[in-house]
Amino acid sequence: MALFNRKSADATTTATTTVDPALAALTGEYTIDPSHSSIGFTVRHAMVTNVRGSFGAHEGTLNLDGSDPKNSTASIDVTIESIDTGIADRDNHLRSAEFFDAEKFPKMTFRSTHAEQLGGDTYRVTGDLTIKDVTRPLAIDLEFNGTATDPYGNERIGFEGSTNILRSDWGLTWNAALETGGVMVSDKVKLNFDISAIKTAPQA
């Protein structure tokens, strides 16, 4: 199902897909449901294993335009203080000035600038990711998981996906050398997104 604009085979032109009539019902604003969504990460530790964590506090909106999908947008705000890797001492270190400096930079944000269909229900959303007042472009590949009406009458829409970043690009450079060679924390970090969003009721 095409939610965003599809690029043509010719890179010099961009064509909009024919809108499926079913998309008209999806048009509108959606609020991300943090209790049924997850924004997390995976990073290599000591060169031999992976550490996984997530941010428990986040909020955001999706604006979908079924008539002109290229106008669809996404906006997400993540509270750094809510980081959780399951180890309190490690979480406190991540919040400290050596990593995120949560007291000085309490939020991580993403604002979309473009979206396109890669094929089927797979999409790429490009935007600006800001961490510690450093803003750099980020592309996220997402799979559209469909829609549903929950038992409370909420219209839901779901996406999941991931992308890789180099944390040093955003000023997250702390590390420690290992006696056997290599470093304690890899520069490469995988960001994971599992989003459930509720359609906002139109104002009367």
Side-chain angles (χ1 to χ4, degrees), residues 1-7 15-27 64-72 115-123 144 146-147 157 159:
M1 182 177 289
L3 295 181
F4 303 103
N5 58 308
R6 184 202 301 267
K7 281 187 175 179
T16 301
T17 58
T18 301
V19 177
D20 187 321
L23 292 180
L26 301 181
T27 298
L64 303 183
D65 187 338
S67 299
D68 194 359
K70 67 183 179 182
N71 292 328
S72 298
E116 61 182 292
Q117 185 182 23
L118 301 181
D121 286 335
T122 302
Y123 299 85
F144 174 52
T147 63
I157 192 167
F159 295 90

PDB file of all heavy atoms in Angstrom, residues 1-7 15-27 64-72 115-123 144 146-147 157 159:
ATOM      1  N   MET A   1       0.847  -1.190   0.000  1.00  0.00           N
ATOM      2  CA  MET A   1       0.000   0.000   0.000  1.00  0.00           C
ATOM      3  C   MET A   1       0.882   1.240   0.000  1.00  0.00           C
ATOM      4  O   MET A   1       1.782   1.368   0.815  1.00  0.00           O
ATOM      5  CB  MET A   1      -0.913   0.003   1.224  1.00  0.00           C
ATOM      6  CG  MET A   1      -1.865   1.182   1.263  1.00  0.00           C
ATOM      7  SD  MET A   1      -2.996   1.110   2.683  1.00  0.00           S
ATOM      8  CE  MET A   1      -4.046  -0.246   2.176  1.00  0.00           C
ATOM      9  N   ALA A   2       0.659   2.144  -0.919  1.00  0.00           N
ATOM     10  CA  ALA A   2       1.528   3.311  -1.064  1.00  0.00           C
ATOM     11  C   ALA A   2       1.081   4.445  -0.156  1.00  0.00           C
ATOM     12  O   ALA A   2       0.030   5.021  -0.340  1.00  0.00           O
ATOM     13  CB  ALA A   2       1.527   3.788  -2.510  1.00  0.00           C
ATOM     14  N   LEU A   3       1.906   4.748   0.836  1.00  0.00           N
ATOM     15  CA  LEU A   3       1.606   5.858   1.740  1.00  0.00           C
ATOM     16  C   LEU A   3       2.396   7.097   1.395  1.00  0.00           C
ATOM     17  O   LEU A   3       2.036   8.203   1.760  1.00  0.00           O
ATOM     18  CB  LEU A   3       1.932   5.462   3.185  1.00  0.00           C
ATOM     19  CG  LEU A   3       1.094   4.337   3.784  1.00  0.00           C
ATOM     20  CD1 LEU A   3       1.540   4.093   5.202  1.00  0.00           C
ATOM     21  CD2 LEU A   3      -0.377   4.676   3.740  1.00  0.00           C
ATOM     22  N   PHE A   4       3.536   6.899   0.734  1.00  0.00           N
ATOM     23  CA  PHE A   4       4.407   8.006   0.410  1.00  0.00           C
ATOM     24  C   PHE A   4       4.641   8.036  -1.086  1.00  0.00           C
ATOM     25  O   PHE A   4       4.232   7.146  -1.821  1.00  0.00           O
ATOM     26  CB  PHE A   4       5.743   7.877   1.156  1.00  0.00           C
ATOM     27  CG  PHE A   4       5.585   7.800   2.643  1.00  0.00           C
ATOM     28  CD1 PHE A   4       5.705   6.586   3.305  1.00  0.00           C
ATOM     29  CD2 PHE A   4       5.305   8.930   3.386  1.00  0.00           C
ATOM     30  CE1 PHE A   4       5.566   6.513   4.676  1.00  0.00           C
ATOM     31  CE2 PHE A   4       5.162   8.861   4.761  1.00  0.00           C
ATOM     32  CZ  PHE A   4       5.290   7.659   5.405  1.00  0.00           C
ATOM     33  N   ASN A   5       5.368   9.071  -1.546  1.00  0.00           N
ATOM     34  CA  ASN A   5       5.618   9.180  -2.979  1.00  0.00           C
ATOM     35  C   ASN A   5       6.676   8.188  -3.420  1.00  0.00           C
ATOM     36  O   ASN A   5       7.628   7.911  -2.726  1.00  0.00           O
ATOM     37  CB  ASN A   5       6.042  10.603  -3.345  1.00  0.00           C
ATOM     38  CG  ASN A   5       7.278  11.041  -2.591  1.00  0.00           C
ATOM     39  OD1 ASN A   5       7.334  10.954  -1.368  1.00  0.00           O
ATOM     40  ND2 ASN A   5       8.269  11.520  -3.316  1.00  0.00           N
ATOM     41  N   ARG A   6       6.478   7.611  -4.606  1.00  0.00           N
ATOM     42  CA  ARG A   6       7.414   6.631  -5.171  1.00  0.00           C
ATOM     43  C   ARG A   6       8.299   7.320  -6.199  1.00  0.00           C
ATOM     44  O   ARG A   6       7.823   8.031  -7.082  1.00  0.00           O
ATOM     45  CB  ARG A   6       6.640   5.499  -5.854  1.00  0.00           C
ATOM     46  CG  ARG A   6       7.551   4.384  -6.391  1.00  0.00           C
ATOM     47  CD  ARG A   6       6.849   3.607  -7.481  1.00  0.00           C
ATOM     48  NE  ARG A   6       5.625   3.001  -7.001  1.00  0.00           N
ATOM     49  CZ  ARG A   6       5.552   1.760  -6.526  1.00  0.00           C
ATOM     50  NH1 ARG A   6       6.624   1.033  -6.444  1.00  0.00           N
ATOM     51  NH2 ARG A   6       4.388   1.278  -6.118  1.00  0.00           N
ATOM     52  N   LYS A   7       9.627   7.093  -6.134  1.00  0.00           N
ATOM     53  CA  LYS A   7      10.529   7.634  -7.133  1.00  0.00           C
ATOM     54  C   LYS A   7      10.467   6.789  -8.390  1.00  0.00           C
ATOM     55  O   LYS A   7      10.416   5.568  -8.324  1.00  0.00           O
ATOM     56  CB  LYS A   7      11.980   7.653  -6.610  1.00  0.00           C
ATOM     57  CG  LYS A   7      12.274   8.814  -5.664  1.00  0.00           C
ATOM     58  CD  LYS A   7      13.742   8.855  -5.352  1.00  0.00           C
ATOM     59  CE  LYS A   7      14.087  10.073  -4.498  1.00  0.00           C
ATOM     60  NZ  LYS A   7      15.521  10.114  -4.175  1.00  0.00           N
ATOM     61  N   ALA A  15       7.676  10.647  -9.768  1.00  0.00           N
ATOM     62  CA  ALA A  15       6.271  10.488 -10.085  1.00  0.00           C
ATOM     63  C   ALA A  15       5.520  10.062  -8.850  1.00  0.00           C
ATOM     64  O   ALA A  15       6.032   9.310  -8.027  1.00  0.00           O
ATOM     65  CB  ALA A  15       6.094   9.440 -11.193  1.00  0.00           C
ATOM     66  N   THR A  16       4.306  10.539  -8.704  1.00  0.00           N
ATOM     67  CA  THR A  16       3.487  10.141  -7.566  1.00  0.00           C
ATOM     68  C   THR A  16       2.634   8.940  -7.949  1.00  0.00           C
ATOM     69  O   THR A  16       2.060   8.887  -9.028  1.00  0.00           O
ATOM     70  CB  THR A  16       2.570  11.305  -7.155  1.00  0.00           C
ATOM     71  OG1 THR A  16       3.374  12.432  -6.830  1.00  0.00           O
ATOM     72  CG2 THR A  16       1.722  10.918  -5.961  1.00  0.00           C
ATOM     73  N   THR A  17       2.589   7.955  -7.087  1.00  0.00           N
ATOM     74  CA  THR A  17       1.817   6.759  -7.365  1.00  0.00           C
ATOM     75  C   THR A  17       0.333   7.085  -7.423  1.00  0.00           C
ATOM     76  O   THR A  17      -0.136   8.052  -6.835  1.00  0.00           O
ATOM     77  CB  THR A  17       2.055   5.707  -6.275  1.00  0.00           C
ATOM     78  OG1 THR A  17       1.687   6.277  -5.028  1.00  0.00           O
ATOM     79  CG2 THR A  17       3.501   5.281  -6.223  1.00  0.00           C
ATOM     80  N   THR A  18      -0.409   6.250  -8.153  1.00  0.00           N
ATOM     81  CA  THR A  18      -1.850   6.374  -8.160  1.00  0.00           C
ATOM     82  C   THR A  18      -2.374   6.039  -6.773  1.00  0.00           C
ATOM     83  O   THR A  18      -2.017   5.016  -6.201  1.00  0.00           O
ATOM     84  CB  THR A  18      -2.463   5.418  -9.195  1.00  0.00           C
ATOM     85  OG1 THR A  18      -1.943   5.729 -10.479  1.00  0.00           O
ATOM     86  CG2 THR A  18      -3.977   5.546  -9.204  1.00  0.00           C
ATOM     87  N   VAL A  19      -3.200   6.908  -6.235  1.00  0.00           N
ATOM     88  CA  VAL A  19      -3.654   6.735  -4.862  1.00  0.00           C
ATOM     89  C   VAL A  19      -4.732   5.663  -4.789  1.00  0.00           C
ATOM     90  O   VAL A  19      -5.741   5.716  -5.477  1.00  0.00           O
ATOM     91  CB  VAL A  19      -4.197   8.067  -4.308  1.00  0.00           C
ATOM     92  CG1 VAL A  19      -4.746   7.880  -2.897  1.00  0.00           C
ATOM     93  CG2 VAL A  19      -3.097   9.109  -4.308  1.00  0.00           C
ATOM     94  N   ASP A  20      -4.493   4.672  -3.961  1.00  0.00           N
ATOM     95  CA  ASP A  20      -5.483   3.639  -3.684  1.00  0.00           C
ATOM     96  C   ASP A  20      -6.644   4.291  -2.934  1.00  0.00           C
ATOM     97  O   ASP A  20      -6.420   5.042  -1.981  1.00  0.00           O
ATOM     98  CB  ASP A  20      -4.827   2.555  -2.824  1.00  0.00           C
ATOM     99  CG  ASP A  20      -5.723   1.351  -2.608  1.00  0.00           C
ATOM    100  OD1 ASP A  20      -6.937   1.532  -2.430  1.00  0.00           O
ATOM    101  OD2 ASP A  20      -5.186   0.235  -2.603  1.00  0.00           O
ATOM    102  N   PRO A  21      -7.894   4.010  -3.320  1.00  0.00           N
ATOM    103  CA  PRO A  21      -9.029   4.609  -2.595  1.00  0.00           C
ATOM    104  C   PRO A  21      -8.992   4.354  -1.096  1.00  0.00           C
ATOM    105  O   PRO A  21      -9.463   5.171  -0.305  1.00  0.00           O
ATOM    106  CB  PRO A  21     -10.238   3.941  -3.253  1.00  0.00           C
ATOM    107  CG  PRO A  21      -9.768   3.586  -4.625  1.00  0.00           C
ATOM    108  CD  PRO A  21      -8.333   3.216  -4.474  1.00  0.00           C
ATOM    109  N   ALA A  22      -8.417   3.223  -0.696  1.00  0.00           N
ATOM    110  CA  ALA A  22      -8.350   2.907   0.732  1.00  0.00           C
ATOM    111  C   ALA A  22      -7.481   3.896   1.497  1.00  0.00           C
ATOM    112  O   ALA A  22      -7.622   4.047   2.719  1.00  0.00           O
ATOM    113  CB  ALA A  22      -7.827   1.490   0.927  1.00  0.00           C
ATOM    114  N   LEU A  23      -6.568   4.580   0.786  1.00  0.00           N
ATOM    115  CA  LEU A  23      -5.684   5.523   1.468  1.00  0.00           C
ATOM    116  C   LEU A  23      -6.431   6.744   1.991  1.00  0.00           C
ATOM    117  O   LEU A  23      -5.981   7.394   2.934  1.00  0.00           O
ATOM    118  CB  LEU A  23      -4.568   5.988   0.529  1.00  0.00           C
ATOM    119  CG  LEU A  23      -3.537   4.942   0.121  1.00  0.00           C
ATOM    120  CD1 LEU A  23      -2.517   5.554  -0.801  1.00  0.00           C
ATOM    121  CD2 LEU A  23      -2.869   4.325   1.327  1.00  0.00           C
ATOM    122  N   ALA A  24      -7.566   7.053   1.372  1.00  0.00           N
ATOM    123  CA  ALA A  24      -8.315   8.243   1.807  1.00  0.00           C
ATOM    124  C   ALA A  24      -8.677   8.142   3.282  1.00  0.00           C
ATOM    125  O   ALA A  24      -8.646   9.134   4.016  1.00  0.00           O
ATOM    126  CB  ALA A  24      -9.575   8.404   0.970  1.00  0.00           C
ATOM    127  N   ALA A  25      -8.973   6.936   3.738  1.00  0.00           N
ATOM    128  CA  ALA A  25      -9.348   6.747   5.143  1.00  0.00           C
ATOM    129  C   ALA A  25      -8.161   6.903   6.075  1.00  0.00           C
ATOM    130  O   ALA A  25      -8.335   7.126   7.277  1.00  0.00           O
ATOM    131  CB  ALA A  25      -9.967   5.367   5.335  1.00  0.00           C
ATOM    132  N   LEU A  26      -6.932   6.803   5.548  1.00  0.00           N
ATOM    133  CA  LEU A  26      -5.738   6.925   6.380  1.00  0.00           C
ATOM    134  C   LEU A  26      -5.281   8.370   6.542  1.00  0.00           C
ATOM    135  O   LEU A  26      -4.481   8.666   7.426  1.00  0.00           O
ATOM    136  CB  LEU A  26      -4.589   6.109   5.778  1.00  0.00           C
ATOM    137  CG  LEU A  26      -4.823   4.616   5.607  1.00  0.00           C
ATOM    138  CD1 LEU A  26      -3.580   3.962   5.022  1.00  0.00           C
ATOM    139  CD2 LEU A  26      -5.188   3.966   6.936  1.00  0.00           C
ATOM    140  N   THR A  27      -5.774   9.253   5.702  1.00  0.00           N
ATOM    141  CA  THR A  27      -5.350  10.646   5.768  1.00  0.00           C
ATOM    142  C   THR A  27      -5.689  11.250   7.124  1.00  0.00           C
ATOM    143  O   THR A  27      -6.796  11.076   7.633  1.00  0.00           O
ATOM    144  CB  THR A  27      -6.036  11.472   4.661  1.00  0.00           C
ATOM    145  OG1 THR A  27      -5.636  10.966   3.387  1.00  0.00           O
ATOM    146  CG2 THR A  27      -5.666  12.938   4.758  1.00  0.00           C
ATOM    147  N   LEU A  64      -0.293  11.883   7.696  1.00  0.00           N
ATOM    148  CA  LEU A  64      -0.391  11.145   6.442  1.00  0.00           C
ATOM    149  C   LEU A  64      -1.375  11.816   5.509  1.00  0.00           C
ATOM    150  O   LEU A  64      -2.473  12.189   5.922  1.00  0.00           O
ATOM    151  CB  LEU A  64      -0.830   9.699   6.718  1.00  0.00           C
ATOM    152  CG  LEU A  64       0.060   8.902   7.673  1.00  0.00           C
ATOM    153  CD1 LEU A  64      -0.450   7.470   7.785  1.00  0.00           C
ATOM    154  CD2 LEU A  64       1.514   8.930   7.235  1.00  0.00           C
ATOM    155  N   ASP A  65      -0.983  11.965   4.266  1.00  0.00           N
ATOM    156  CA  ASP A  65      -1.826  12.574   3.246  1.00  0.00           C
ATOM    157  C   ASP A  65      -2.063  11.551   2.151  1.00  0.00           C
ATOM    158  O   ASP A  65      -1.203  11.312   1.309  1.00  0.00           O
ATOM    159  CB  ASP A  65      -1.147  13.823   2.681  1.00  0.00           C
ATOM    160  CG  ASP A  65      -2.046  14.607   1.742  1.00  0.00           C
ATOM    161  OD1 ASP A  65      -3.000  14.023   1.202  1.00  0.00           O
ATOM    162  OD2 ASP A  65      -1.792  15.814   1.547  1.00  0.00           O
ATOM    163  N   GLY A  66      -3.238  10.908   2.179  1.00  0.00           N
ATOM    164  CA  GLY A  66      -3.544   9.874   1.205  1.00  0.00           C
ATOM    165  C   GLY A  66      -3.750  10.403  -0.191  1.00  0.00           C
ATOM    166  O   GLY A  66      -3.536   9.691  -1.170  1.00  0.00           O
ATOM    167  N   SER A  67      -4.167  11.675  -0.331  1.00  0.00           N
ATOM    168  CA  SER A  67      -4.397  12.262  -1.647  1.00  0.00           C
ATOM    169  C   SER A  67      -3.099  12.694  -2.311  1.00  0.00           C
ATOM    170  O   SER A  67      -2.985  12.693  -3.535  1.00  0.00           O
ATOM    171  CB  SER A  67      -5.342  13.462  -1.518  1.00  0.00           C
ATOM    172  OG  SER A  67      -6.587  13.061  -0.999  1.00  0.00           O
ATOM    173  N   ASP A  68      -2.122  13.093  -1.512  1.00  0.00           N
ATOM    174  CA  ASP A  68      -0.826  13.530  -2.018  1.00  0.00           C
ATOM    175  C   ASP A  68       0.244  13.018  -1.057  1.00  0.00           C
ATOM    176  O   ASP A  68       0.753  13.768  -0.218  1.00  0.00           O
ATOM    177  CB  ASP A  68      -0.794  15.056  -2.126  1.00  0.00           C
ATOM    178  CG  ASP A  68       0.382  15.548  -2.957  1.00  0.00           C
ATOM    179  OD1 ASP A  68       1.168  14.707  -3.426  1.00  0.00           O
ATOM    180  OD2 ASP A  68       0.517  16.771  -3.132  1.00  0.00           O
ATOM    181  N   PRO A  69       0.582  11.721  -1.141  1.00  0.00           N
ATOM    182  CA  PRO A  69       1.411  11.077  -0.125  1.00  0.00           C
ATOM    183  C   PRO A  69       2.761  11.736   0.131  1.00  0.00           C
ATOM    184  O   PRO A  69       3.315  11.587   1.215  1.00  0.00           O
ATOM    185  CB  PRO A  69       1.583   9.663  -0.675  1.00  0.00           C
ATOM    186  CG  PRO A  69       0.370   9.443  -1.510  1.00  0.00           C
ATOM    187  CD  PRO A  69       0.105  10.770  -2.154  1.00  0.00           C
ATOM    188  N   LYS A  70       3.304  12.461  -0.839  1.00  0.00           N
ATOM    189  CA  LYS A  70       4.612  13.073  -0.624  1.00  0.00           C
ATOM    190  C   LYS A  70       4.568  14.134   0.473  1.00  0.00           C
ATOM    191  O   LYS A  70       5.605  14.540   0.992  1.00  0.00           O
ATOM    192  CB  LYS A  70       5.135  13.700  -1.920  1.00  0.00           C
ATOM    193  CG  LYS A  70       4.342  14.904  -2.399  1.00  0.00           C
ATOM    194  CD  LYS A  70       4.883  15.403  -3.722  1.00  0.00           C
ATOM    195  CE  LYS A  70       4.074  16.604  -4.221  1.00  0.00           C
ATOM    196  NZ  LYS A  70       4.550  17.066  -5.534  1.00  0.00           N
ATOM    197  N   ASN A  71       3.370  14.565   0.853  1.00  0.00           N
ATOM    198  CA  ASN A  71       3.245  15.550   1.924  1.00  0.00           C
ATOM    199  C   ASN A  71       3.224  14.917   3.316  1.00  0.00           C
ATOM    200  O   ASN A  71       3.139  15.624   4.318  1.00  0.00           O
ATOM    201  CB  ASN A  71       1.962  16.374   1.726  1.00  0.00           C
ATOM    202  CG  ASN A  71       2.033  17.271   0.502  1.00  0.00           C
ATOM    203  OD1 ASN A  71       3.095  17.752   0.135  1.00  0.00           O
ATOM    204  ND2 ASN A  71       0.885  17.474  -0.137  1.00  0.00           N
ATOM    205  N   SER A  72       3.279  13.591   3.381  1.00  0.00           N
ATOM    206  CA  SER A  72       3.288  12.916   4.679  1.00  0.00           C
ATOM    207  C   SER A  72       4.564  13.265   5.445  1.00  0.00           C
ATOM    208  O   SER A  72       5.646  13.372   4.862  1.00  0.00           O
ATOM    209  CB  SER A  72       3.188  11.404   4.496  1.00  0.00           C
ATOM    210  OG  SER A  72       1.975  11.058   3.869  1.00  0.00           O
ATOM    211  N   ALA A 115      10.013  11.468   2.000  1.00  0.00           N
ATOM    212  CA  ALA A 115       9.646  10.050   2.126  1.00  0.00           C
ATOM    213  C   ALA A 115       9.418   9.465   0.745  1.00  0.00           C
ATOM    214  O   ALA A 115       8.987  10.161  -0.174  1.00  0.00           O
ATOM    215  CB  ALA A 115       8.393   9.891   2.977  1.00  0.00           C
ATOM    216  N   GLU A 116       9.741   8.188   0.605  1.00  0.00           N
ATOM    217  CA  GLU A 116       9.546   7.522  -0.683  1.00  0.00           C
ATOM    218  C   GLU A 116       9.264   6.042  -0.466  1.00  0.00           C
ATOM    219  O   GLU A 116       9.657   5.452   0.547  1.00  0.00           O
ATOM    220  CB  GLU A 116      10.789   7.671  -1.561  1.00  0.00           C
ATOM    221  CG  GLU A 116      12.038   7.062  -0.955  1.00  0.00           C
ATOM    222  CD  GLU A 116      13.265   7.265  -1.817  1.00  0.00           C
ATOM    223  OE1 GLU A 116      13.294   6.650  -2.914  1.00  0.00           O
ATOM    224  OE2 GLU A 116      14.160   8.001  -1.414  1.00  0.00           O
ATOM    225  N   GLN A 117       8.573   5.443  -1.421  1.00  0.00           N
ATOM    226  CA  GLN A 117       8.299   4.012  -1.391  1.00  0.00           C
ATOM    227  C   GLN A 117       9.438   3.284  -2.084  1.00  0.00           C
ATOM    228  O   GLN A 117       9.827   3.625  -3.202  1.00  0.00           O
ATOM    229  CB  GLN A 117       6.985   3.685  -2.082  1.00  0.00           C
ATOM    230  CG  GLN A 117       6.593   2.219  -1.986  1.00  0.00           C
ATOM    231  CD  GLN A 117       5.304   1.914  -2.728  1.00  0.00           C
ATOM    232  OE1 GLN A 117       4.924   2.645  -3.628  1.00  0.00           O
ATOM    233  NE2 GLN A 117       4.638   0.848  -2.360  1.00  0.00           N
ATOM    234  N   LEU A 118      10.003   2.263  -1.413  1.00  0.00           N
ATOM    235  CA  LEU A 118      11.075   1.472  -2.002  1.00  0.00           C
ATOM    236  C   LEU A 118      10.540   0.265  -2.744  1.00  0.00           C
ATOM    237  O   LEU A 118      11.205  -0.290  -3.614  1.00  0.00           O
ATOM    238  CB  LEU A 118      12.052   1.015  -0.912  1.00  0.00           C
ATOM    239  CG  LEU A 118      12.727   2.130  -0.110  1.00  0.00           C
ATOM    240  CD1 LEU A 118      13.681   1.532   0.916  1.00  0.00           C
ATOM    241  CD2 LEU A 118      13.465   3.098  -1.030  1.00  0.00           C
ATOM    242  N   GLY A 119       9.322  -0.142  -2.399  1.00  0.00           N
ATOM    243  CA  GLY A 119       8.709  -1.306  -3.030  1.00  0.00           C
ATOM    244  C   GLY A 119       7.797  -2.011  -2.054  1.00  0.00           C
ATOM    245  O   GLY A 119       8.155  -2.202  -0.888  1.00  0.00           O
ATOM    246  N   GLY A 120       6.606  -2.373  -2.513  1.00  0.00           N
ATOM    247  CA  GLY A 120       5.647  -3.029  -1.630  1.00  0.00           C
ATOM    248  C   GLY A 120       5.303  -2.140  -0.450  1.00  0.00           C
ATOM    249  O   GLY A 120       4.933  -0.978  -0.617  1.00  0.00           O
ATOM    250  N   ASP A 121       5.448  -2.690   0.759  1.00  0.00           N
ATOM    251  CA  ASP A 121       5.132  -1.933   1.967  1.00  0.00           C
ATOM    252  C   ASP A 121       6.381  -1.400   2.659  1.00  0.00           C
ATOM    253  O   ASP A 121       6.358  -1.096   3.854  1.00  0.00           O
ATOM    254  CB  ASP A 121       4.349  -2.820   2.951  1.00  0.00           C
ATOM    255  CG  ASP A 121       2.910  -3.041   2.492  1.00  0.00           C
ATOM    256  OD1 ASP A 121       2.395  -2.192   1.739  1.00  0.00           O
ATOM    257  OD2 ASP A 121       2.317  -4.064   2.879  1.00  0.00           O
ATOM    258  N   THR A 122       7.475  -1.282   1.913  1.00  0.00           N
ATOM    259  CA  THR A 122       8.725  -0.767   2.476  1.00  0.00           C
ATOM    260  C   THR A 122       8.941   0.673   2.034  1.00  0.00           C
ATOM    261  O   THR A 122       8.810   0.995   0.852  1.00  0.00           O
ATOM    262  CB  THR A 122       9.917  -1.634   2.044  1.00  0.00           C
ATOM    263  OG1 THR A 122       9.690  -2.983   2.457  1.00  0.00           O
ATOM    264  CG2 THR A 122      11.201  -1.135   2.692  1.00  0.00           C
ATOM    265  N   TYR A 123       9.290   1.531   2.993  1.00  0.00           N
ATOM    266  CA  TYR A 123       9.444   2.963   2.752  1.00  0.00           C
ATOM    267  C   TYR A 123      10.754   3.455   3.341  1.00  0.00           C
ATOM    268  O   TYR A 123      11.308   2.851   4.264  1.00  0.00           O
ATOM    269  CB  TYR A 123       8.277   3.741   3.375  1.00  0.00           C
ATOM    270  CG  TYR A 123       6.947   3.343   2.797  1.00  0.00           C
ATOM    271  CD1 TYR A 123       6.250   2.251   3.302  1.00  0.00           C
ATOM    272  CD2 TYR A 123       6.395   4.045   1.742  1.00  0.00           C
ATOM    273  CE1 TYR A 123       5.042   1.861   2.757  1.00  0.00           C
ATOM    274  CE2 TYR A 123       5.187   3.673   1.189  1.00  0.00           C
ATOM    275  CZ  TYR A 123       4.512   2.566   1.700  1.00  0.00           C
ATOM    276  OH  TYR A 123       3.319   2.181   1.153  1.00  0.00           O
ATOM    277  N   PHE A 144       5.561  -0.878   6.530  1.00  0.00           N
ATOM    278  CA  PHE A 144       4.206  -0.542   6.939  1.00  0.00           C
ATOM    279  C   PHE A 144       3.504  -1.825   7.357  1.00  0.00           C
ATOM    280  O   PHE A 144       3.347  -2.759   6.576  1.00  0.00           O
ATOM    281  CB  PHE A 144       3.476   0.128   5.771  1.00  0.00           C
ATOM    282  CG  PHE A 144       2.018   0.389   6.024  1.00  0.00           C
ATOM    283  CD1 PHE A 144       1.593   1.066   7.150  1.00  0.00           C
ATOM    284  CD2 PHE A 144       1.065  -0.041   5.105  1.00  0.00           C
ATOM    285  CE1 PHE A 144       0.246   1.308   7.374  1.00  0.00           C
ATOM    286  CE2 PHE A 144      -0.280   0.205   5.315  1.00  0.00           C
ATOM    287  CZ  PHE A 144      -0.689   0.875   6.454  1.00  0.00           C
ATOM    288  N   GLY A 146       0.355  -2.076   8.502  1.00  0.00           N
ATOM    289  CA  GLY A 146      -1.086  -2.059   8.316  1.00  0.00           C
ATOM    290  C   GLY A 146      -1.823  -1.227   9.343  1.00  0.00           C
ATOM    291  O   GLY A 146      -1.223  -0.462  10.111  1.00  0.00           O
ATOM    292  N   THR A 147      -3.143  -1.385   9.348  1.00  0.00           N
ATOM    293  CA  THR A 147      -4.010  -0.611  10.238  1.00  0.00           C
ATOM    294  C   THR A 147      -4.942  -1.550  10.993  1.00  0.00           C
ATOM    295  O   THR A 147      -5.175  -2.686  10.584  1.00  0.00           O
ATOM    296  CB  THR A 147      -4.854   0.403   9.449  1.00  0.00           C
ATOM    297  OG1 THR A 147      -5.727  -0.317   8.563  1.00  0.00           O
ATOM    298  CG2 THR A 147      -3.975   1.336   8.650  1.00  0.00           C
ATOM    299  N   ILE A 157      -2.224   2.664  13.299  1.00  0.00           N
ATOM    300  CA  ILE A 157      -1.384   2.393  12.146  1.00  0.00           C
ATOM    301  C   ILE A 157      -0.008   2.006  12.679  1.00  0.00           C
ATOM    302  O   ILE A 157       0.415   2.495  13.734  1.00  0.00           O
ATOM    303  CB  ILE A 157      -1.309   3.624  11.216  1.00  0.00           C
ATOM    304  CG1 ILE A 157      -0.690   3.258   9.870  1.00  0.00           C
ATOM    305  CG2 ILE A 157      -0.582   4.788  11.883  1.00  0.00           C
ATOM    306  CD1 ILE A 157      -0.868   4.336   8.823  1.00  0.00           C
ATOM    307  N   PHE A 159       4.291   0.862  12.006  1.00  0.00           N
ATOM    308  CA  PHE A 159       5.507   0.779  11.194  1.00  0.00           C
ATOM    309  C   PHE A 159       6.617   0.176  12.050  1.00  0.00           C
ATOM    310  O   PHE A 159       6.645   0.349  13.267  1.00  0.00           O
ATOM    311  CB  PHE A 159       5.981   2.166  10.739  1.00  0.00           C
ATOM    312  CG  PHE A 159       5.057   2.874   9.802  1.00  0.00           C
ATOM    313  CD1 PHE A 159       4.061   3.709  10.292  1.00  0.00           C
ATOM    314  CD2 PHE A 159       5.190   2.733   8.428  1.00  0.00           C
ATOM    315  CE1 PHE A 159       3.211   4.383   9.430  1.00  0.00           C
ATOM    316  CE2 PHE A 159       4.343   3.406   7.569  1.00  0.00           C
ATOM    317  CZ  PHE A 159       3.353   4.231   8.065  1.00  0.00           C
TER     318      PHE A 159
END
